[in-house]
Amino acid sequence: MQSVMVPLVKNKCGDLSDLNNYRAIALSSALSKVFECVIAGFLTTDSEVDCFQFGFKAGHSTSLCTSVLKDTVGYYTSQGSHVFACFIDFNKAFDSVNYWKLFHKLLDDGVNYFIVNLLAYWHSSQSAVVRWQNTMSSKFYISNGVR
């Protein structure tokens, strides 16, 4: 349940001292990846919301979503109608997710209690170290964000 966080530079020509110029990737163990695949098999849902999701879904992509938007706007403008759209940037949204509410939603959606309990334990017990070049930081526990 420990990951190795490796910071990657987003823009090599940018300010290398700016922390916003880095994104971290977490390297997990092979055993953790196997565990994720096994658990994923138990996480099916009948939620109607899923049919409206484009990203992170097999056979769907955000380019499909863009195509649907363009077709919808094209249809209404060709009919002489106005089209108004609102876009939300959920930048760093995962940093503010209340995961305990998310676990309750999984239970409400019929996911097995033992699987949700296992996910909650796994989520709350994760730790990481940061690798910068050849140096490792001290271990710390992850309190928010995507694991």
Side-chain angles (χ1 to χ4, degrees):
M1 295 192 317
Q2 181 172 310
S3 299
V4 177
M5 307 285 277
V6 179
L8 299 177
V9 177
K10 292 180 185 177
N11 179 2
K12 293 180 181 178
C13 298
D15 183 1
L16 297 180
S17 65
D18 179 8
L19 68 92
N20 292 314
N21 193 22
Y22 291 87
R23 70 176 179 88
I25 60 167
L27 306 174
S28 301
S29 69
L31 184 59
S32 176
K33 294 293 185 186
V34 170
F35 177 70
E36 289 174 20
C37 289
V38 170
I39 293 296
F42 290 96
L43 297 177
T44 58
T45 180
D46 297 327
S47 175
E48 292 179 16
V49 174
D50 285 356
C51 65
F52 299 111
Q53 179 178 338
F54 287 94
F56 305 105
K57 185 176 176 184
H60 292 76
S61 70
T62 53
S63 58
L64 177 60
C65 182
T66 304
S67 177
V68 169
L69 175 66
K70 287 172 66 175
D71 289 348
T72 303
V73 169
Y75 172 79
Y76 284 102
T77 55
S78 71
Q79 302 296 316
S81 179
H82 295 287
V83 176
F84 300 95
C86 176
F87 296 94
I88 300 172
D89 181 3
F90 287 112
N91 185 24
K92 300 187 181 184
F94 287 111
D95 292 342
S96 60
V97 168
N98 182 330
Y99 287 96
W100 303 107
K101 283 186 180 180
L102 184 62
F103 295 136
H104 284 285
K105 292 281 188 192
L106 288 172
L107 290 171
D108 293 344
D109 202 29
V111 175
N112 183 292
Y113 169 80
F114 295 107
I115 298 297
V116 175
N117 198 24
L118 180 62
L119 288 171
Y121 174 77
W122 191 31
H123 177 80
S124 62
S125 303
Q126 296 241 334
S127 64
V129 295
V130 175
R131 184 177 74 204
W132 182 258
Q133 296 177 353
N134 293 326
T135 305
M136 298 286 228
S137 73
S138 300
K139 179 172 84 171
F140 59 92
Y141 287 93
I142 302 171
S143 61
N144 68 331
V146 178
R147 303 301 194 254

